[in-house]
Amino acid sequence: MLKYISKINWLAVLLSLVFYSFFGWLWFTVLFPNQYAGTLGKLGLLPVEPDPIYFYGPPLTILPTIITTALLMIVLNINTKKAAIEFALIIGIGFLVANTFDIAINPNIPHPMAYGLLVGSYHLICILVSCLIMLAMRKKVMDPK
């Protein structure tokens, strides 16, 4: 599988990462800041000037997911919009949303279901858009099988 890493369109990975990061800022600080804080039991308690890790951490942690998604799209020969959407939903729900709910079921998160819905929805939207970006910018690759 790793032999296909050279087939990844790294510009598509970068654009997906930029989208994922920008949309995270929009989702958590503009669209749903109070809901997010509320799911954590921190309404009115989140820092005005967060530590730098909150800016560089999420892109660094999502980058391996985007790279893995790009690689799997090549190996599985995802080359239509329908297939990309189906793949994104499988990856999004099966891994990202499920893992988000798993993380939320934690005594430190007082509202796990609300947290899972809010954060899981963000990840599902982002992986869907990322798959569509990678499909649109896909290098022409022969069937890897």
Side-chain angles (χ1 to χ4, degrees), residues 47-78:
V48 176
E49 292 187 32
D51 289 333
I53 194 168
Y54 295 104
F55 298 104
Y56 68 79
L60 289 177
T61 60
I62 202 58
L63 182 59
T65 300
I66 294 171
I67 293 169
T68 301
T69 301
L71 181 61
L72 287 172
M73 286 181 73
I74 292 166
V75 171
L76 296 172
N77 199 26
I78 305 293

Side-chain angles (χ1 to χ4, degrees), residues 14-118:
L14 178 64
L15 288 175
S16 295
L17 184 62
V18 168
F19 170 78
Y20 222 116
S21 300
F22 173 76
F23 194 70
W25 168 82
L26 183 68
W27 189 264
F28 294 108
T29 64
V30 176
L31 298 175
F32 303 108
N34 292 332
Q35 294 86 343
Y36 180 63
T39 67
L40 298 170
K42 304 232 181 242
L43 194 56
L45 301 175
L46 292 179
V48 176
E49 292 187 32
D51 289 333
I53 194 168
Y54 295 104
F55 298 104
Y56 68 79
L60 289 177
T61 60
I62 202 58
L63 182 59
T65 300
I66 294 171
I67 293 169
T68 301
T69 301
L71 181 61
L72 287 172
M73 286 181 73
I74 292 166
V75 171
L76 296 172
N77 199 26
I78 305 293
N79 58 15
T80 67
K81 190 174 183 180
K82 181 180 183 283
I85 291 169
E86 289 172 349
F87 178 72
L89 291 174
I90 290 167
I91 295 296
I93 294 168
F95 290 120
L96 298 172
V97 174
N99 192 50
T100 298
F101 273 97
D102 186 50
I103 291 166
I105 301 169
N106 176 318
N108 293 315
I109 298 178
H111 307 287
M113 297 308 286
Y115 179 92
L117 285 172
L118 183 66

Side-chain angles (χ1 to χ4, degrees), residues 5-6 17 78 88 97 122 126:
I5 221 153
S6 66
L17 184 62
I78 305 293
V97 174
Y122 156 73
C126 286

